[in-house]
DNA sequence: AATACGGGGTG
DNA sequence: CACCCAGTATT
């Protein structure tokens, strides 16, 4: 058996454990999820346990993962699964897509990894590997996402979606990575349009076709809204569950970690967090939802 | 079609 | 410092 056999979600077929892993893995690296995964499952062992909790408890358990809206969505998903399906996650794509936090990728991943149905979970790894094999290096792109999806789906062996998706992701994460390609040890080297990849060529192509920086990313992190949101949520995580914090006190405490000329932005950022369902306001006090 | 959304790891 | 990461929802 090759590949990353140590991943804690790889051996289970429990739909709950699979969705939790998939929500955690959305835009968050495997190595960072691993140490937090089992602790989360111990705290919330089932859809019912998740649904019975406050969203704020889930956001607390989410510390270290980032993209906190995912915690709120996972909590909402738990409640929806309990209410709509009696605690049983559906395997139908349309029903999965209708649940909070589940998009095209996650629906396919749940189907393949939890239900062993023939579907292609086309994440950044799959897209890169398929592109290289079928068209060569991905910078510049020779095919759009829809084309890559179609190729991926056609390549899934009947009854073998779980292992196939796992293998393709492992290939993309360990051998055919974004920054390099170890074609010499790649099982697909004989049929791959990109092999053998020259590392200097790959680096040059990536530089040449680098995506335009978004305005938010072009400025120092301490000047971004994300930074403020992160500091506010971190502070609220330290407030005991079901207790609240005065907005004044929040502003005072954050003076230690936030540039002084940004403290006046805190109320507006809190408003945004409330709109996102992450923070709850009670008069002049706030807490995690 | 663009943008917002975290934060830590890597070369 | 720039790029990368098992994407989704909103505008």
């Amino acid at each position: 058996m090759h590949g990353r056999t140590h991943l804690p979600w790889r051996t289970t077929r429990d739909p709950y454990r699979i969705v939790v892993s998939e929500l955690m893995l959305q835009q968050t690296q495997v190595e960072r999820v691993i140490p937090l995964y089992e602790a989360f499952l111990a705290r919330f062992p089932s859809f019912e346990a998740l649904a019975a909790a406050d969203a704020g408890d889930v956001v607390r358990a989410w510390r270290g993962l980032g993209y906190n809206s995912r915690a709120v969505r996972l909590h909402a998903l738990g409640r929806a699964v309990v209410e709509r399906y009696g605690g049983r996650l559906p395997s139908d794509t349309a029903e999965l897509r209708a649940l909070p936090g589940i998009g095209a990728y996650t629906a396919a991943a749940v189907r393949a990894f939890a239900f062993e149905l023939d579907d292609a979970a086309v994440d950044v790894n799959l897209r890169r590997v398929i592109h290289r094999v079928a068209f060569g290096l991905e910078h510049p792109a020779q095919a759009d996402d829809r084309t890559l999806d179609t190729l991926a789906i056609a390549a899934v062996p009947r009854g073998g979606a779980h292992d196939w998706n796992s293998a393709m992701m492992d290939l993309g994460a360990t051998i055919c990575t974004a920054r390099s390609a170890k074609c010499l040890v790649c099982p697909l080297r004989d049929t791959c349009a990109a092999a053998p990849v020259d590392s200097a060529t790959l680096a040059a192509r990536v530089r040449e076709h680098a995506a335009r920086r978004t305005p938010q990313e072009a400025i120092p992190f301490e000047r971004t809204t994300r930074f403020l949101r992160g500091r506010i949520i971190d502070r609220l995580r330290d407030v005991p569950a079901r207790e609240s914090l005065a907005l004044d006190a929040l502003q005072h405490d954050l003076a230690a970690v936030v540039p002084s000329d940004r403290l006046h932005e805190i109320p507006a950022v809190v408003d945004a967090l409330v709109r996102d369902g992450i923070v709850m306001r009670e008069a002049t006090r706030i807490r995690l939802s």
Side-chain angles (χ1 to χ4, degrees):
Chain A
M1 180 65 126
H2 298 76
R4 298 176 291 179
T5 56
H6 65 291
L7 305 184
W9 45 85
R10 180 128 314 164
T11 49
T12 185
R13 297 295 184 275
D14 176 4
Y16 176 70
R17 299 175 79 91
I18 295 295
V19 225
V20 169
S21 76
E22 291 304 338
L23 268 286
M24 287 184 170
L25 288 162
Q26 289 169 1
Q27 289 288 282
T28 301
Q29 266 129 244
V30 165
E31 294 306 322
R32 197 136 66 87
V33 169
I34 290 177
L36 298 164
Y37 179 64
E38 295 293 350
F40 186 95
L41 291 174
R43 174 82 178 74
F44 307 106
S46 64
F47 285 115
E48 286 78 8
L50 194 60
D54 287 337
D57 296 333
V58 183
V59 173
R60 276 192 183 75
W62 206 257
R63 190 198 294 265
L65 288 171
Y67 285 153
N68 298 298
S69 289
R70 291 182 297 164
V72 175
R73 292 188 197 126
L74 178 56
H75 175 254
L77 182 153
R79 292 201 166 168
V81 168
V82 168
E83 288 168 14
R84 295 177 204 169
Y85 304 110
R88 302 298 182 135
L89 193 68
S91 61
D92 176 74
T93 298
E95 290 183 292
L96 286 168
R97 288 293 304 269
L99 291 167
I102 298 195
Y105 161 79
T106 304
V110 164
R111 284 166 55 79
F113 295 137
F115 299 107
E116 302 198 28
L117 297 170
D118 292 335
D119 215 332
V122 183
D123 71 336
V124 65
N125 290 304
L126 272 278
R127 268 194 295 278
R128 184 176 56 251
V129 172
I130 300 274
H131 192 293
R132 286 180 181 173
V133 169
F135 303 98
L137 290 181
E138 67 277 25
H139 302 294
Q142 303 292 311
D144 58 22
D145 289 352
R146 207 185 58 77
T147 302
L148 297 176
D149 275 11
T150 304
L151 286 174
I153 290 166
V156 176
R158 297 292 165 86
H162 187 287
D163 287 354
W164 184 84
N165 282 290
S166 300
M168 292 292 281
M169 288 179 179
D170 287 354
L171 200 57
T174 62
I175 293 177
C176 193
T177 67
R179 308 270 196 124
S180 69
K182 302 165 184 61
C183 301
L184 289 180
V185 294
C186 180
L188 302 181
R189 66 183 172 282
D190 292 334
T191 54
C192 179
V197 172
D198 171 61
S199 59
T201 300
L202 174 56
R205 296 271 199 100
V206 169
R207 252 195 326 278
E208 187 179 348
H209 298 93
R212 186 46 137 282
R213 308 246 56 67
T214 107
Q216 185 81 285
E217 291 169 321
I219 58 184
F221 188 59
E222 297 71 30
R223 308 301 307 175
T224 63
T225 301
R226 290 180 182 192
F227 171 75
L228 279 188
R229 288 171 63 104
R231 300 295 70 71
I232 292 168
I233 293 172
D234 268 357
R235 178 65 190 87
L236 290 177
R237 281 196 175 104
D238 290 334
V239 175
R242 278 157 293 286
E243 289 183 24
S244 61
L245 181 69
L247 196 50
D248 290 347
L250 172 71
Q251 213 149 351
H252 174 268
D253 293 349
L254 289 193
V257 290
V258 170
S260 56
D261 64 331
R262 300 205 63 193
L263 292 174
H264 72 277
E265 301 176 43
I266 290 176
V269 176
V270 167
D271 285 344
L273 289 168
V274 170
R275 284 195 295 278
D276 291 346
I278 299 172
V279 169
M280 174 172 294
R281 184 196 307 283
E282 304 167 325
T284 64
R285 304 179 68 81
I286 58 174
R287 63 181 180 84
L288 294 176
S289 291

